[in-house]
Amino acid sequence: MTKSSETHQESAQERSFREAGFTVAASTAIHGGKVYELTSAECAGVRVAVLHTPGKGLTVGGRVELSQSDLKGTSADSEQALLVLGALTAGLQPQGIEAHFLAGNEGIEGLMLSVHVCQDKGEPEQLKASIVKITQAAEAVAKAVTQRGPDRLVAVRQAARLAKAAPAEVARVQVSVAPTFDLAARDRMMRNTNP
Amino acid sequence: MPTLSLYAFDRSGPELAGPFFQNHIGHGPDNWAWASISGLGNTHSVLTWERPSNEDILDLSNVANNPVALATIDALLTSPASRRGPVRTSYVTWGNMPSQVTGGNPGLHQPWELLATINIDFHVSTPWYCSDADGTITYYVFFFLDGGGNLRGQVQGWYYSYSGGGPFCTGSINSSLNSAVPGGMASLQNLLNTFLPLFTAGRTFNMLYYLPGHGVRSGFSSDNADNNVALAVIPN
């Protein structure tokens, strides 16, 4: 790992990350390029790493933790793991996102979702859009892989779908009764409406 | 007559909708009744409702698939996109809605408040070099009673997801959907503003709740609350 010092001069790549709203937490030179670990509120708890390969562009990766999934610790060659990887690949391909299992000495530890950005430095807005794309996909997949049995493949396939939504931008309304299956809310409503 | 309704769901809570069995027993006022469903291998939650005789039902799937509503909905999708199958209705808690919808205004609802979903399944035909795409557009509608007991409905968000479209066509599919789907909120709100007064007919209400299925009040049957739900109201 390269040491940062008080006199470290920000590289063009690091400036690009900063302009996109991300902080470089660490960087590591590897064969052919450099890996940057980024942090930001945009990362929403997903660990983000960006590989810069001069002349070949950037690869943005987001790590999905499997701590709540029974896939953790299994072999990357197991039937379940391959089925999940297949479902992810089929679902994420149209978005240009790839999925890889991350395995350690004791089996699968996590998943890495990655997308390639062709430009060498990456315009800040394009970089930010790629990172948001990866973190949103990673969040959805992390939830889906906690399911078990046949439900998991359905959930993974659903989570890998290309999706978009808009935030609800409506004014709060004065509500007297709202539908719910919540027991505490039911008790309150019964106290208010029953004699 | 009042009705005791029993619902048995595959999923772990009624708020998660999904497949269910139902049994309904009408009974005299202040009289007794019981209902049972047996031999269900995949039940993980049960709901019972004691439904008064003056309950009125708004079958949301029935409404969403009437010709006027379908004409409005179909107008949102232009070739090569088209609706696939009937419009489906369901419900979801605010807490279980996509964060892309709730994140912009997280305090808008309590996590346990239910919103109706209007689900439009669609298909997009693509050129030979791309896979066709299949997906769902969802509009979120909050039905509630205001302080005066008036039934109101507010369209509060949209979401779409699809699979396919690769390797080259997702950009143009996204562009078409991003253009069409947000505008559907106003169209849907106009439909609600027109239709709800016809249903309420000047009445006010003291209670409203969702029922899985079409809101039937007799017999034994199965249905799927991912596809059909009804809004029940009790008039003053």
Side-chain angles (χ1 to χ4, degrees):
Chain A
M1 182 173 296
T2 56
K3 286 188 181 173
S4 56
S5 69
E6 289 180 9
T7 58
H8 169 74
Q9 192 167 359
E10 183 182 67
S11 68
Q13 187 57 68
E14 288 168 342
R15 182 167 61 250
S16 182
F17 290 139
R18 180 172 50 75
E19 287 172 0
F22 298 91
T23 305
V24 177
S27 61
T28 308
I30 62 167
H31 178 70
K34 203 165 192 178
V35 175
Y36 297 88
E37 294 177 41
L38 302 185
T39 60
S40 161
E42 301 282 358
C43 295
V46 174
R47 289 178 69 185
V48 172
V50 178
L51 167 65
H52 174 222
T53 309
K56 293 187 180 174
L58 302 171
T59 303
V60 177
R63 180 176 166 122
V64 176
E65 298 298 340
L66 295 179
S67 50
Q68 304 296 322
S69 170
D70 64 353
L71 280 174
K72 186 176 166 70
T74 61
S75 164
D77 288 337
S78 69
E79 184 179 342
Q80 249 325 289
L82 291 176
L83 282 171
V84 167
L85 190 60
L88 276 175
T89 299
L92 293 172
Q93 255 178 358
Q95 303 178 60
I97 298 178
E98 293 183 8
H100 306 263
F101 275 121
L102 299 171
N105 288 333
E106 295 179 13
I108 294 173
E109 294 176 352
L111 272 164
M112 196 70 160
L113 306 184
S114 64
V115 67
H116 189 68
V117 178
C118 277
Q119 291 183 13
D120 211 24
K121 275 207 303 294
E123 292 300 322
E125 282 310 309
Q126 184 188 24
L127 194 55
K128 184 174 175 180
S130 296
I131 294 175
V132 168
K133 184 179 182 177
I134 283 292
T135 54
Q136 283 183 349
E139 270 188 301
V141 169
K143 207 169 169 184
V145 292
T146 61
Q147 305 265 353
R148 289 170 188 262
D151 288 346
R152 173 157 57 202
L153 288 183
V154 173
V156 165
R157 202 71 170 91
Q158 186 71 26
R161 276 158 66 120
L162 208 151
K164 192 171 163 74
E169 288 176 356
V170 291
R172 228 172 147 67
V173 292
Q174 195 64 24
V175 176
S176 175
V177 179
T180 180
F181 289 120
D182 180 77
L183 299 179
R186 174 206 64 188
D187 292 344
R188 279 195 298 274
M189 280 194 280
M190 288 183 78
R191 278 197 298 272
N192 288 340
T193 59
N194 284 351
Chain B
M1 67 173 69
T3 300
L4 175 65
S5 290
L6 173 63
Y7 304 92
F9 297 87
D10 282 9
R11 295 185 188 151
S12 59
E15 73 281 2
L16 300 178
F20 66 92
F21 286 91
Q22 56 186 333
N23 197 7
H24 307 277
I25 302 294
H27 58 84
D30 284 334
N31 216 330
W32 60 266
W34 58 266
S36 71
I37 308 177
S38 53
L40 303 178
N42 204 33
T43 293
H44 292 92
S45 60
V46 176
L47 170 72
T48 56
W49 260 108
E50 177 61 35
R51 299 158 64 185
S53 51
N54 63 342
E55 174 199 82
D56 200 356
I57 290 289
L58 187 62
D59 182 339
L60 294 180
S61 282
N62 206 19
V63 170
N65 286 284
N66 79 44
V68 173
L70 282 183
T72 302
I73 288 167
D74 287 344
L76 299 175
L77 297 170
T78 52
S79 179
S82 59
R83 178 171 51 86
R84 185 169 50 90
V87 175
R88 298 180 294 107
T89 62
S90 185
Y91 50 65
V92 65
T93 59
W94 179 252
N96 283 337
M97 282 170 55
S99 57
Q100 297 103 308
V101 182
T102 62
N105 202 346
L108 185 62
H109 293 290
Q110 298 290 338
W112 39 256
E113 284 180 355
L114 289 163
L115 282 78
T117 62
I118 311 297
N119 303 285
I120 306 159
D121 297 319
F122 65 88
H123 179 86
V124 181
S125 298
T126 56
W128 64 266
Y129 45 79
C130 292
S131 172
D132 284 3
D134 288 291
T136 305
I137 298 165
T138 297
Y139 290 100
Y140 298 94
V141 182
F142 181 51
F143 287 105
F144 64 99
L145 300 181
D146 66 18
N150 301 294
L151 173 63
R152 297 189 35 204
Q154 187 180 53
V155 183
Q156 295 192 335
W158 59 264
Y159 177 89
Y160 71 72
S161 70
Y162 67 87
S163 54
F168 306 134
C169 300
T170 53
S172 57
I173 293 172
N174 290 350
S175 180
S176 297
L177 290 172
N178 292 343
S179 172
V181 175
M185 283 181 63
S187 303
L188 199 53
Q189 188 67 61
N190 287 339
L191 268 179
L192 280 174
N193 294 345
T194 301
F195 180 76
L196 276 185
L198 297 175
F199 170 72
T200 60
R203 295 174 296 171
T204 58
F205 307 94
N206 57 70
M207 183 59 183
L208 87 166
Y209 45 93
Y210 285 108
L211 293 171
H214 295 279
V216 299
R217 292 176 70 96
S218 64
F220 172 81
S221 61
S222 63
D223 202 332
N224 190 330
D226 286 344
N227 301 332
N228 301 302
V229 297
L231 191 65
V233 287
I234 300 177
N236 286 322

